[in-house]
């Protein structure tokens, strides 16, 4: 493709060389540069792409996009200076792929909890309504029936636009996409045309990256601030920051809620392990999903479908038969009638949502046994809070490893134990080996008891010292249930 075409929409601050040249590929990783590529020098948290400009030119880069032109210029390389290389990457990646987002109804879902479930529900719903659709999520990406493994909640701009182009080429009309706060701040969604945005909620998370909750909040809000007038912005009015998201958006403002007045309103009639019985805008519906948090997820999906002008009866009929995303309140019943729940809950609020749902559903004196850890190399401030929440809402808590990554698992658990009060210590065990922790929970359980495995959900690995080994909470739990039968 001609460089001139790729530069549409780019604010250039300095240009050295010609734009009348053919380029082969866009690259931001200096190790992947080949002859004829455009290299984007991006300033990251660990390294600065400007330090690798010379080496990429030696490898054959013909164009360099940078924020500061180097002093040592090489001919016939074209140097293009911009305010932010990451923003230029997003816009040029969209141009390179012929702006696929503009040929789809692209709906972005952001928030701390619920993104994956809402996006997955919408993907399954619109497939059920007969539309070819795409999904970009934490668990996996889909192009209709084709499954593509997910490496990040939101892919990098090049991978993202290529994925969207593949969706367009496959005839997709809709794409439902999780939008992480990291992706917003790092401009991974720059250059994309969204038809709508959905806000689920915002709670304590990712402060290792954002440093303050205010920064985290601003990151989420930026997504809605950038939505065009032609789009819709659908927000959870029950979240205390739900209306903040809508303050400066040019998009059409809509709300959903269980407690407040809203455009899309639901009331919980019954909440049990069998599912949710809801009144949704006057319609009486039974859903397979469990828990008040899923009432919000279902309502967000319903509201989005209504804003996309779908038939209410068709939408509610299909939603009522859908399961959620893998690893989100996954429910297993042992031969001895022990209930096992696998959930991705890895924030204090998410853990409380799951445990409060269990508390509301339990019928009598069943014990709740929670197995929980915290990820290494991530926000340390939430560790004691998560342990406190687990203890406050459980009869027995086993503190264990999640993905320790490069941290010492014992040090992570020590951070968690700070949140365990003296009265809760008697109900707490520490078993660093996660498999042993799950086995112990199963042996402690009696018929009717409930075991919650929190934190890893859909993940099929455990990362220890930079190495990912196969590990599946649901697989281990199922194996143990069969062994103790």
């Amino acid at each position: 493709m001609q460089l001139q075409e790729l530069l549409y929409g780019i604010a250039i601050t300095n240009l050295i060389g010609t734009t009348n040249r053919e380029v082969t590929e866009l690259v931001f990783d200096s190790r992947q540069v080949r002859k004829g590529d455009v290299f984007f020098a991006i300033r990251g948290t660990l390294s600065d792409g400007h330090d690798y400009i010379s080496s990429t030119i030696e490898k054959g880069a013909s164009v360099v996009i940078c924020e500061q032109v180097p002093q040592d210029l090489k001919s016939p390389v074209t140097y293009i200076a911009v305010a932010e290389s990451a923003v230029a990457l997003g816009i040029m990646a969209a141009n390179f792929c012929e702006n696929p987002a503009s040929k789809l109804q692209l709906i972005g879902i952001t928030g701390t909890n619920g993104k994956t479930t809402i996006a997955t529900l919408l993907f399954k719903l619109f497939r059920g309504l007969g539309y070819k659709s795409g999904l970009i999520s934490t668990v996996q990406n889909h192009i209709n029936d084709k499954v593509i493994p997910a490496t990040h909640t939101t892919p990098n701009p090049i991978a993202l636009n290529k994925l969207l182009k593949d969706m367009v080429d496959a005839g997709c009309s809709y794409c439902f996409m999780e939008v992480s706060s990291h992706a917003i701040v790092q401009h991974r969604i720059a250059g994309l045309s969204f038809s709508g945005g959905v806000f689920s909620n915002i709670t304590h998370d990712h402060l290792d990256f954002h440093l303050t909750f205010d920064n985290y909040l601003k990151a989420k809000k930026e997504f809605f601030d950038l939505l065009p007038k032609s789009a819709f912005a659908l927000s959870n009015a029950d979240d205390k920051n739900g209306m903040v998201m809508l303050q400066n958006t040019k998009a059409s403002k809509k709300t959903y809620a269980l407690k407040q007045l809203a455009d899309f309103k639901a009331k919980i009639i019954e909440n049990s392990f069998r599912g949710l019985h809801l009144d949704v805008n006057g319609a009486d519906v039974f859903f397979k999903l469990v828990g008040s948090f899923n009432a919000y997820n279902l309502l967000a999906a319903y509201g989005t479908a209504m804003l996309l002008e779908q038939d209410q009866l068709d939408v509610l009929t299909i939603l009522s038969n859908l399961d959620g995303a893998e690893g989100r309140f996954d429910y297993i019943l042992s031969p001895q009638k022990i209930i096992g729940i696998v959930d991705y809950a890895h924030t204090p609020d998410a853990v409380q949502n799951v445990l409060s749902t269990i508390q509301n559903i339990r019928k009598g004196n069943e014990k709740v046994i929670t197995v929980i850890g915290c990820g290494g190399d991530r926000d340390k401030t939430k560790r004691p809070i998560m342990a406190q929440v687990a203890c406050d809402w459980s009869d027995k808590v086993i503190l264990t490893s999640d993905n320790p990554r490069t941290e010492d698992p014992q040090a992570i658990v020590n951070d968690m134990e700070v949140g365990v009060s003296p009265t809760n210590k008697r109900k707490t065990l520490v078993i660093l080996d996660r498999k042993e922790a799950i086995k112990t929970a199963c042996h402690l359980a009696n018929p009717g008891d409930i075991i919650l495995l929190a934190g890893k959900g859909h993940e099929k690995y455990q990362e220890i010292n930079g190495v990912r080994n196969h590990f599946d909470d649901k697989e281990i739990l199922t194996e143990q249930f069969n062994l103790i039968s």
Side-chain angles (χ1 to χ4, degrees):
M1 180 178 276
Q2 280 286 314
L3 177 59
Q4 289 173 330
E5 299 173 57
L6 292 178
L7 293 173
Y8 179 77
I10 299 294
I12 298 172
T13 58
N14 192 8
L15 170 63
I16 300 170
T18 180
T19 60
N20 184 24
R21 66 191 313 159
E22 191 77 15
V23 297
T24 52
E25 187 59 87
L26 310 184
V27 182
F28 62 90
D29 184 338
S30 61
R31 296 166 296 183
Q32 297 176 359
V33 170
R34 299 291 183 270
K35 187 175 181 180
D37 288 351
V38 179
F39 173 66
F40 291 80
I42 294 174
R43 301 186 196 277
T45 52
L46 299 177
S47 63
D48 185 347
H50 291 76
D51 296 335
Y52 302 96
I53 291 175
S54 294
S55 65
T56 61
I57 291 170
E58 289 174 7
K59 291 179 181 178
S62 60
V63 180
V64 173
I65 308 293
C66 53
E67 294 168 16
Q68 185 175 352
V69 175
Q71 291 183 340
D72 182 19
L73 301 178
K74 305 288 185 183
S75 180
V77 176
T78 298
Y79 297 86
I80 299 173
V82 294
E84 290 188 86
S85 300
V87 174
L89 173 61
I91 296 170
M92 290 176 70
N95 291 340
F96 190 76
C97 294
E98 301 174 339
N99 293 289
S102 66
K103 300 169 187 175
L104 292 160
Q105 294 262 41
L106 178 61
I107 310 300
I109 300 99
T110 196
T112 305
N113 303 310
K115 295 188 299 294
T116 302
T117 298
I118 295 168
T120 303
L121 285 172
L122 282 164
F123 170 73
K124 292 178 178 178
L125 168 61
F126 275 73
R127 292 278 286 149
L129 289 167
Y131 296 101
K132 291 183 177 180
S133 302
L135 171 68
I136 300 174
S137 81
T138 304
V139 177
Q140 54 189 201
N141 303 321
H142 279 259
I143 302 175
N144 294 316
D145 292 326
K146 183 180 177 182
V147 179
I148 299 156
T151 56
H152 294 79
T153 299
T154 311
N156 71 67
I158 298 169
L160 179 54
N161 278 279
K162 287 182 177 179
L163 185 56
L164 291 170
K165 185 177 188 304
D166 288 344
M167 291 178 188
V168 171
D169 292 344
C172 293
S173 305
Y174 295 89
C175 174
F176 304 99
M177 170 184 169
E178 289 187 56
V179 178
S180 69
S181 57
H182 291 67
I184 297 166
V185 171
Q186 294 169 350
H187 307 297
R188 283 184 241 159
I189 58 171
L192 298 185
S193 304
F194 285 91
S195 299
V198 182
F199 172 72
S200 60
N201 51 65
I202 187 164
T203 60
H204 188 118
D205 200 15
H206 300 306
L207 299 194
D208 56 312
F209 178 79
H210 296 288
L211 302 180
T212 68
F213 183 80
D214 189 51
N215 288 341
Y216 182 40
L217 179 68
K218 286 176 180 175
K220 296 291 187 187
K221 186 176 180 298
E222 184 181 337
F223 171 63
F224 293 93
D225 290 349
L226 294 173
L227 288 176
K229 189 176 180 180
S230 58
F232 66 81
L234 176 62
S235 188
N236 177 0
D238 285 345
D239 187 277
K240 64 181 180 181
N241 288 298
M243 301 313 293
V244 172
M245 296 296 149
L246 304 181
Q247 283 176 354
N248 300 318
T249 186
K250 296 184 283 290
S252 174
K253 301 176 183 180
K254 300 292 180 182
T255 56
Y256 65 96
L258 296 179
K259 301 170 185 175
Q260 312 288 330
L261 288 174
D263 297 291
F264 306 103
K265 187 86 164 60
K267 178 183 178 183
I268 298 176
I269 299 169
E270 184 184 4
N271 181 13
S272 72
F273 278 119
R274 295 184 304 111
L276 278 163
H277 184 186
L278 302 179
D279 178 298
V280 182
N281 276 21
D284 191 76
V285 191
F286 187 87
F287 299 92
K288 292 169 71 174
L289 297 184
V290 174
S292 59
F293 60 94
N294 272 323
Y296 283 104
N297 295 334
L298 287 161
L299 195 51
Y302 167 76
T304 300
M306 293 298 96
L307 292 169
L308 292 172
E309 301 180 338
Q310 302 304 305
D311 179 78
Q312 181 191 38
L313 180 59
D314 289 343
V315 167
L316 290 174
T317 300
I318 294 169
L319 279 177
S320 69
N321 288 301
L322 293 182
D323 296 313
E326 182 186 3
R328 271 64 177 177
F329 213 88
D330 258 2
Y331 174 101
I332 311 166
L333 187 64
S334 82
Q336 289 185 321
K337 308 301 181 188
I338 299 169
I339 296 166
I341 296 167
V342 175
D343 196 273
Y344 190 53
H346 59 283
T347 67
D349 185 68
V351 174
Q352 183 168 331
N353 281 341
V354 175
L355 285 168
S356 63
T357 293
I358 292 170
Q359 182 67 34
N360 292 335
I361 294 172
R362 65 198 292 198
K363 300 298 183 185
N365 297 318
E366 315 97 319
K367 292 200 306 289
V368 175
I369 304 169
T370 297
V371 177
I372 188 168
C374 289
D377 304 330
R378 297 293 186 270
D379 183 1
K380 293 185 178 183
T381 61
K382 69 181 181 182
R383 291 174 183 173
I385 306 170
M386 286 178 64
Q388 178 188 341
V389 169
C391 288
D392 288 347
W393 288 84
S394 309
D395 299 291
K396 197 77 178 176
V397 175
I398 303 176
L399 302 179
T400 189
S401 298
D402 189 284
N403 290 316
R405 299 184 177 89
T406 64
E407 277 197 74
D408 176 6
Q410 183 63 60
I412 297 172
V413 168
N414 290 346
D415 288 343
M416 296 181 74
E417 286 188 297
V418 173
V420 180
S421 67
T423 55
N424 280 334
K425 281 194 183 294
R426 60 180 175 77
K427 64 166 80 170
T428 307
L429 291 174
V430 173
I431 303 175
L432 294 181
D433 185 302
R434 191 175 180 91
K435 184 172 183 178
E436 287 301 316
I438 295 170
K439 287 168 67 174
T440 301
C442 292
H443 287 293
L444 290 173
N446 295 313
D449 287 348
I450 302 161
I451 298 171
L452 170 65
L453 307 185
K456 289 184 59 60
H458 64 281
E459 291 179 349
K460 302 293 189 288
Y461 65 86
Q462 186 176 39
E463 187 175 334
I464 303 172
N465 292 325
V467 178
R468 290 189 174 189
N469 301 298
H470 176 75
F471 197 99
D472 185 334
D473 275 5
K474 190 172 182 179
E475 182 182 287
I476 294 168
L477 184 62
T478 303
E479 175 187 275
Q480 291 303 309
F481 275 1
N482 290 331
L483 286 174
I484 64 175
S485 64

